[in-house]
Amino acid sequence: MSVLSRRRALQAFAASAAGASMSGWLPALAAAAGDQTPPRSVILLWMTGGPSQLDTFDPKPNHENGGEFKAIDTAVPGVQIAEHLPGIAQRLDRCAILRTLSTPEGDHGRATYLARTGYRPGGAIDYPTLGAAISKELAARPDRAETDLPGYISVAPFRLANPAAFGSGFLGPEFAPLVVGEGAGDPNATGGNALTVRNLAPPRGAGGERMQRRLELLSNFESSFATNRPDAALVGRRTAYEKAVRMMGGAAAGAFDLEKEPAALKDKYGRSPFGQGCLLARRLVERGVPFVEVSLNGVTGGEAFAWDTHADNFEAVKGLCGVLDPAWSTLLDDLNDRGLGDTLVVWMGEFGRTPTINPQGGRDHFPMAWNAVMCGGGIVGGSVVGATDEAGMEVTDRPISAADFAATLCRAAGVDPWRDNLSNVGRPIRLADPEANPVEEILA
């Protein structure tokens, strides 16, 4: 253990002796002892609406709830997934399936907040989404290469259900995501052309020296204002603006130009907004961005809760998997080919779907037993954690809470889940609930 690690371990011990709960002390000590993880990035593939677990990663082919999809073998002996994810099936030895997430929220807005922050909504605390919290920690590591790009970039999010679930909460604007391609599912937009950063170019007629003079004038006004009003929110806002200006003037903006990629590779990802979003995610990670998320909101131009399949579930899921599978599979291969195989790739939505099939051929909201998948860095490939009964109605082994999942995500990313930040109510709040139990079985 290094000197730094020993110091952090002793600090964790001292905190416990002073009264910290044992449930928080033990994980903190473990995290302190394991803080030699190399810096990695995270790509979150967000499935808006809540995907069906029975039609993706927990098939029930021998039960009436299983529906019309077949189960197929994978690269992991004895493990099957649903038939419309053949590419991921071949790469499952790089991934871990969590089959037993069990959460208390069945409403899109509340469930989205819980899944993305690790905390239930309500009360006075404005929790940050995990993308903001994790990117803050990863970007601050001294061994991470500097970049003019933001630490957290969200590609094509659909935020209508709960905008707060996509924000930086009490961390402030400095750690808010740069949103790219919101509305990329619009039928008038196509593929990578829709994934642009708005207002990246200076206003017409205001480039060069004129732009520089405007920025200096703004800086002078703000410096005068800030001198008399020292405030964390103001500092955060100014920092965010400074980052935006650096991106406008630097080579970093070229990261968003997908025209520099070979046409054959763009075809492999798929020419959908989601497929091209995954390609963009790889380009951003390649340039040092710690956390990128790409949302799959629709297939045929719809921009909404794509996986919210209350009717015609099987036709909808087949179409969505037709977009998801090539994009995700190519992303894993592309990352490996470019020496970025240590990137953590996470697949999830806000909840699952009912095992029973309703009269409209659909599946409704079901938070009692659902799936998430983690691939790449920090993960023991080929792992399957948890089990449900034959009908898919109940968890029979290893229930995983939203807090457990948040702590697992932090650990896999190389971040201490029990690190705290000062909240908007003046209380220190940890990245994950101190009572959480990370899924150690899948952590490399």
Side-chain angles (χ1 to χ4, degrees), residues 279-303:
L279 173 57
L280 175 59
R282 187 228 77 205
R283 288 176 62 84
L284 295 170
V285 165
E286 197 169 34
R287 288 159 175 78
V289 177
F291 199 105
V292 184
E293 63 184 18
V294 187
S295 296
L296 177 49
N297 310 318
V299 172
T300 57
E303 172 73 14

mmCIF file of all heavy atoms in Angstrom, residues 279-303:
data_model
loop_
_atom_site.group_PDB
_atom_site.id
_atom_site.type_symbol
_atom_site.label_atom_id
_atom_site.label_comp_id
_atom_site.label_asym_id
_atom_site.label_seq_id
_atom_site.Cartn_x
_atom_site.Cartn_y
_atom_site.Cartn_z
ATOM 1 N N LEU A 279 -20.849 6.139 -31.269
ATOM 2 C CA LEU A 279 -19.577 6.472 -31.916
ATOM 3 C C LEU A 279 -19.018 7.775 -31.338
ATOM 4 O O LEU A 279 -17.806 7.886 -31.059
ATOM 5 C CB LEU A 279 -19.794 6.605 -33.427
ATOM 6 C CG LEU A 279 -18.600 7.106 -34.251
ATOM 7 C CD1 LEU A 279 -17.377 6.227 -34.057
ATOM 8 C CD2 LEU A 279 -18.986 7.169 -35.744
ATOM 9 N N LEU A 280 -19.892 8.752 -31.143
ATOM 10 C CA LEU A 280 -19.452 10.008 -30.531
ATOM 11 C C LEU A 280 -18.920 9.766 -29.118
ATOM 12 O O LEU A 280 -17.910 10.369 -28.713
ATOM 13 C CB LEU A 280 -20.615 11.001 -30.502
ATOM 14 C CG LEU A 280 -20.350 12.335 -29.794
ATOM 15 C CD1 LEU A 280 -19.187 13.074 -30.453
ATOM 16 C CD2 LEU A 280 -21.617 13.204 -29.799
ATOM 17 N N ALA A 281 -19.562 8.888 -28.381
ATOM 18 C CA ALA A 281 -19.107 8.580 -27.018
ATOM 19 C C ALA A 281 -17.679 8.046 -27.041
ATOM 20 O O ALA A 281 -16.847 8.415 -26.203
ATOM 21 C CB ALA A 281 -20.052 7.581 -26.365
ATOM 22 N N ARG A 282 -17.402 7.161 -27.987
ATOM 23 C CA ARG A 282 -16.034 6.640 -28.086
ATOM 24 C C ARG A 282 -15.047 7.756 -28.375
ATOM 25 O O ARG A 282 -13.959 7.820 -27.791
ATOM 26 C CB ARG A 282 -15.955 5.564 -29.166
ATOM 27 C CG ARG A 282 -14.607 4.848 -29.209
ATOM 28 C CD ARG A 282 -14.079 4.764 -30.623
ATOM 29 N NE ARG A 282 -13.509 6.010 -31.084
ATOM 30 C CZ ARG A 282 -13.420 6.366 -32.358
ATOM 31 N NH1 ARG A 282 -13.902 5.598 -33.304
ATOM 32 N NH2 ARG A 282 -12.852 7.513 -32.692
ATOM 33 N N ARG A 283 -15.398 8.679 -29.277
ATOM 34 C CA ARG A 283 -14.506 9.797 -29.612
ATOM 35 C C ARG A 283 -14.262 10.694 -28.380
ATOM 36 O O ARG A 283 -13.156 11.185 -28.177
ATOM 37 C CB ARG A 283 -15.113 10.637 -30.751
ATOM 38 C CG ARG A 283 -15.079 9.958 -32.108
ATOM 39 C CD ARG A 283 -15.778 10.799 -33.178
ATOM 40 N NE ARG A 283 -15.140 12.104 -33.384
ATOM 41 C CZ ARG A 283 -14.089 12.310 -34.176
ATOM 42 N NH1 ARG A 283 -13.548 11.291 -34.841
ATOM 43 N NH2 ARG A 283 -13.587 13.526 -34.320
ATOM 44 N N LEU A 284 -15.291 10.881 -27.580
ATOM 45 C CA LEU A 284 -15.154 11.735 -26.398
ATOM 46 C C LEU A 284 -14.299 11.063 -25.323
ATOM 47 O O LEU A 284 -13.440 11.697 -24.709
ATOM 48 C CB LEU A 284 -16.539 12.074 -25.852
ATOM 49 C CG LEU A 284 -17.423 12.926 -26.781
ATOM 50 C CD1 LEU A 284 -18.846 12.999 -26.259
ATOM 51 C CD2 LEU A 284 -16.835 14.321 -26.943
ATOM 52 N N VAL A 285 -14.529 9.783 -25.105
ATOM 53 C CA VAL A 285 -13.709 9.046 -24.131
ATOM 54 C C VAL A 285 -12.247 9.026 -24.578
ATOM 55 O O VAL A 285 -11.327 9.154 -23.773
ATOM 56 C CB VAL A 285 -14.265 7.615 -23.976
ATOM 57 C CG1 VAL A 285 -13.260 6.706 -23.276
ATOM 58 C CG2 VAL A 285 -15.574 7.645 -23.193
ATOM 59 N N GLU A 286 -12.063 8.889 -25.861
ATOM 60 C CA GLU A 286 -10.709 8.874 -26.430
ATOM 61 C C GLU A 286 -9.984 10.185 -26.144
ATOM 62 O O GLU A 286 -8.751 10.215 -26.025
ATOM 63 C CB GLU A 286 -10.826 8.658 -27.943
ATOM 64 C CG GLU A 286 -9.569 8.221 -28.640
ATOM 65 C CD GLU A 286 -9.879 7.783 -30.056
ATOM 66 O OE1 GLU A 286 -10.795 8.367 -30.692
ATOM 67 O OE2 GLU A 286 -9.229 6.842 -30.536
ATOM 68 N N ARG A 287 -10.734 11.251 -25.977
ATOM 69 C CA ARG A 287 -10.154 12.569 -25.703
ATOM 70 C C ARG A 287 -10.195 12.936 -24.222
ATOM 71 O O ARG A 287 -10.008 14.094 -23.858
ATOM 72 C CB ARG A 287 -10.872 13.620 -26.554
ATOM 73 C CG ARG A 287 -10.504 13.519 -28.031
ATOM 74 C CD ARG A 287 -11.540 14.162 -28.928
ATOM 75 N NE ARG A 287 -11.107 14.148 -30.325
ATOM 76 C CZ ARG A 287 -11.174 13.073 -31.113
ATOM 77 N NH1 ARG A 287 -11.649 11.937 -30.634
ATOM 78 N NH2 ARG A 287 -10.750 13.127 -32.361
ATOM 79 N N GLY A 288 -10.470 11.953 -23.383
ATOM 80 C CA GLY A 288 -10.332 12.160 -21.947
ATOM 81 C C GLY A 288 -11.570 12.555 -21.187
ATOM 82 O O GLY A 288 -11.473 12.921 -20.003
ATOM 83 N N VAL A 289 -12.758 12.515 -21.807
ATOM 84 C CA VAL A 289 -13.983 12.857 -21.078
ATOM 85 C C VAL A 289 -14.300 11.720 -20.095
ATOM 86 O O VAL A 289 -14.418 10.564 -20.500
ATOM 87 C CB VAL A 289 -15.163 13.074 -22.042
ATOM 88 C CG1 VAL A 289 -16.450 13.354 -21.261
ATOM 89 C CG2 VAL A 289 -14.856 14.223 -22.994
ATOM 90 N N PRO A 290 -14.484 12.012 -18.819
ATOM 91 C CA PRO A 290 -14.680 10.937 -17.832
ATOM 92 C C PRO A 290 -16.026 10.220 -17.919
ATOM 93 O O PRO A 290 -16.107 9.031 -17.653
ATOM 94 C CB PRO A 290 -14.556 11.657 -16.485
ATOM 95 C CG PRO A 290 -13.851 12.930 -16.765
ATOM 96 C CD PRO A 290 -14.277 13.316 -18.158
ATOM 97 N N PHE A 291 -17.102 10.952 -18.270
ATOM 98 C CA PHE A 291 -18.433 10.330 -18.216
ATOM 99 C C PHE A 291 -19.272 10.810 -19.404
ATOM 100 O O PHE A 291 -19.478 12.005 -19.583
ATOM 101 C CB PHE A 291 -19.136 10.689 -16.907
ATOM 102 C CG PHE A 291 -20.279 9.781 -16.540
ATOM 103 C CD1 PHE A 291 -20.134 8.836 -15.525
ATOM 104 C CD2 PHE A 291 -21.487 9.851 -17.204
ATOM 105 C CE1 PHE A 291 -21.182 7.986 -15.180
ATOM 106 C CE2 PHE A 291 -22.539 9.006 -16.876
ATOM 107 C CZ PHE A 291 -22.395 8.076 -15.856
ATOM 108 N N VAL A 292 -19.736 9.856 -20.197
ATOM 109 C CA VAL A 292 -20.600 10.159 -21.346
ATOM 110 C C VAL A 292 -21.828 9.267 -21.243
ATOM 111 O O VAL A 292 -21.716 8.081 -20.909
ATOM 112 C CB VAL A 292 -19.881 9.875 -22.678
ATOM 113 C CG1 VAL A 292 -20.772 10.281 -23.857
ATOM 114 C CG2 VAL A 292 -18.547 10.592 -22.756
ATOM 115 N N GLU A 293 -22.987 9.821 -21.511
ATOM 116 C CA GLU A 293 -24.189 8.982 -21.572
ATOM 117 C C GLU A 293 -24.871 9.175 -22.915
ATOM 118 O O GLU A 293 -24.836 10.263 -23.493
ATOM 119 C CB GLU A 293 -25.154 9.312 -20.433
ATOM 120 C CG GLU A 293 -25.704 10.715 -20.461
ATOM 121 C CD GLU A 293 -26.580 11.008 -19.238
ATOM 122 O OE1 GLU A 293 -26.473 10.270 -18.252
ATOM 123 O OE2 GLU A 293 -27.348 11.984 -19.296
ATOM 124 N N VAL A 294 -25.448 8.081 -23.426
ATOM 125 C CA VAL A 294 -26.160 8.101 -24.699
ATOM 126 C C VAL A 294 -27.533 7.488 -24.463
ATOM 127 O O VAL A 294 -27.640 6.373 -23.943
ATOM 128 C CB VAL A 294 -25.412 7.288 -25.777
ATOM 129 C CG1 VAL A 294 -26.088 7.483 -27.136
ATOM 130 C CG2 VAL A 294 -23.940 7.679 -25.848
ATOM 131 N N SER A 295 -28.581 8.207 -24.836
ATOM 132 C CA SER A 295 -29.944 7.734 -24.582
ATOM 133 C C SER A 295 -30.555 7.137 -25.842
ATOM 134 O O SER A 295 -30.386 7.667 -26.943
ATOM 135 C CB SER A 295 -30.827 8.892 -24.090
ATOM 136 O OG SER A 295 -30.371 9.376 -22.837
ATOM 137 N N LEU A 296 -31.261 6.030 -25.658
ATOM 138 C CA LEU A 296 -32.046 5.431 -26.746
ATOM 139 C C LEU A 296 -33.516 5.718 -26.453
ATOM 140 O O LEU A 296 -34.138 5.093 -25.599
ATOM 141 C CB LEU A 296 -31.786 3.923 -26.832
ATOM 142 C CG LEU A 296 -32.581 3.134 -27.887
ATOM 143 C CD1 LEU A 296 -32.530 3.805 -29.253
ATOM 144 C CD2 LEU A 296 -32.067 1.702 -27.988
ATOM 145 N N ASN A 297 -34.051 6.705 -27.201
ATOM 146 C CA ASN A 297 -35.404 7.203 -26.932
ATOM 147 C C ASN A 297 -36.436 6.771 -27.961
ATOM 148 O O ASN A 297 -37.626 7.001 -27.768
ATOM 149 C CB ASN A 297 -35.401 8.738 -26.906
ATOM 150 C CG ASN A 297 -34.320 9.303 -26.020
ATOM 151 O OD1 ASN A 297 -34.086 8.803 -24.925
ATOM 152 N ND2 ASN A 297 -33.632 10.333 -26.482
ATOM 153 N N GLY A 298 -35.989 6.202 -29.067
ATOM 154 C CA GLY A 298 -36.932 5.833 -30.099
ATOM 155 C C GLY A 298 -36.233 5.249 -31.302
ATOM 156 O O GLY A 298 -35.010 5.302 -31.412
ATOM 157 N N VAL A 299 -37.043 4.695 -32.230
ATOM 158 C CA VAL A 299 -36.479 4.036 -33.409
ATOM 159 C C VAL A 299 -36.884 4.737 -34.692
ATOM 160 O O VAL A 299 -36.062 4.999 -35.557
ATOM 161 C CB VAL A 299 -36.940 2.559 -33.456
ATOM 162 C CG1 VAL A 299 -36.524 1.904 -34.766
ATOM 163 C CG2 VAL A 299 -36.364 1.796 -32.279
ATOM 164 N N THR A 300 -38.131 5.066 -34.796
ATOM 165 C CA THR A 300 -38.646 5.570 -36.066
ATOM 166 C C THR A 300 -38.917 7.067 -36.034
ATOM 167 O O THR A 300 -39.850 7.556 -36.629
ATOM 168 C CB THR A 300 -39.948 4.835 -36.428
ATOM 169 O OG1 THR A 300 -40.887 5.009 -35.340
ATOM 170 C CG2 THR A 300 -39.704 3.358 -36.625
ATOM 171 N N GLY A 301 -38.081 7.794 -35.350
ATOM 172 C CA GLY A 301 -38.274 9.228 -35.302
ATOM 173 C C GLY A 301 -38.947 9.695 -34.042
ATOM 174 O O GLY A 301 -39.001 10.892 -33.776
ATOM 175 N N GLY A 302 -39.479 8.752 -33.233
ATOM 176 C CA GLY A 302 -40.090 9.138 -31.975
ATOM 177 C C GLY A 302 -39.046 9.598 -30.986
ATOM 178 O O GLY A 302 -37.931 9.098 -30.982
ATOM 179 N N GLU A 303 -39.381 10.535 -30.148
ATOM 180 C CA GLU A 303 -38.453 11.077 -29.146
ATOM 181 C C GLU A 303 -39.186 11.050 -27.832
ATOM 182 O O GLU A 303 -39.813 12.019 -27.439
ATOM 183 C CB GLU A 303 -38.048 12.498 -29.534
ATOM 184 C CG GLU A 303 -37.236 13.245 -28.495
ATOM 185 C CD GLU A 303 -35.809 12.747 -28.396
ATOM 186 O OE1 GLU A 303 -35.372 12.026 -29.296
ATOM 187 O OE2 GLU A 303 -35.143 13.092 -27.424
#
